[in-house]
Amino acid sequence: AEIVKCGLAMRDAGADVIDLGCLPDTPFPHLEDAVKALREEGIVVSIDSADPVELRRGAAAGASYLLSLNRDTWSLALDHDVIPVLVPSPHGDLASLYDAIELMAASGRPFIVDPILDPIHFGFTASLRRYVEVRNRFLGIEMMMGTGNLTELTDADSSGITAMLMGICSELSIRNVLVVNVSPHTARTVQEH
């Protein structure tokens, strides 16, 4: 019931999709129930996990998107009617991301690409360069930017940071953003985006 209440509040704030982020080494026995409860309210659901079992469970329960697939796990999306979000693996390795893009493109199925935005002082500038490089190489590809690594991990004015990131997304034609609002200073981040 709490997850539905939270999902409805985020949808009312402007979210188009509610992401269920799975935690490493933390069981999520009610994953299917959570997906189904959100879908019963007309909420589109995504699953973000590094665990292929959780991704399969979420897709089987009716999730519409699977996040954090890579060149080794991209084919998980072929078993269900889901849109995968492809990421580099290992982190920052554009060659691995390009491999995943080519594999997914050959399948003829839709997909989204996220080169991964890194926090300030942990590769932020290099991560922006990755977004530009991917956009320049694949002009028409759907892309995503997870903004939480900046809005959540920078103890500063989140609306200003969000405005800057949305400007970058606009210039690079990034039409999908993954928004996180856990920290107290990001309580309105969905609305800001």
Side-chain angles (χ1 to χ4, degrees), residues 169-187:
C169 287
S170 177
E171 288 188 8
L172 294 176
S173 298
I174 297 172
R175 300 180 330 135
N176 306 278
V177 292
L178 176 63
V179 179
V180 181
N181 67 332
V182 176
S183 301
H185 70 276
T186 62

Side-chain angles (χ1 to χ4, degrees), residues 1-22 28 31 33-49 58-59 61-67 83 85 144 176-181 189-191:
E2 188 63 29
I3 199 158
V4 171
K5 180 180 172 186
C6 184
L8 290 169
M10 286 186 194
R11 183 178 69 185
D12 291 345
D16 297 316
V17 178
I18 302 302
D19 183 62
L20 299 179
C22 303
F28 195 162
L31 175 63
D33 293 337
V35 171
K36 290 175 184 173
L38 289 167
R39 285 186 41 95
E40 286 174 4
E41 294 295 331
I43 296 173
V44 179
V45 179
S46 65
I47 303 296
D48 189 359
S49 178
S64 297
Y65 298 87
L66 296 182
L67 279 66
I83 296 175
V85 177
M144 172 185 282
N176 306 278
V177 292
L178 176 63
V179 179
V180 181
N181 67 332
T189 195
V190 174
Q191 293 92 331

Side-chain angles (χ1 to χ4, degrees), residues 101-124:
I101 290 169
E102 297 296 337
L103 290 165
M104 201 64 219
S107 78
R109 304 266 305 269
F111 61 94
I112 300 170
V113 175
D114 184 356
I116 307 292
L117 184 68
D118 289 325
I120 294 172
H121 293 292
F122 291 94
F124 172 62

Side-chain angles (χ1 to χ4, degrees), residues 71 74 86 94-104 138:
R71 71 174 164 201
W74 69 276
L86 305 174
L94 284 183
S96 71
L97 183 58
Y98 296 159
D99 288 347
I101 290 169
E102 297 296 337
L103 290 165
M104 201 64 219
F138 300 97

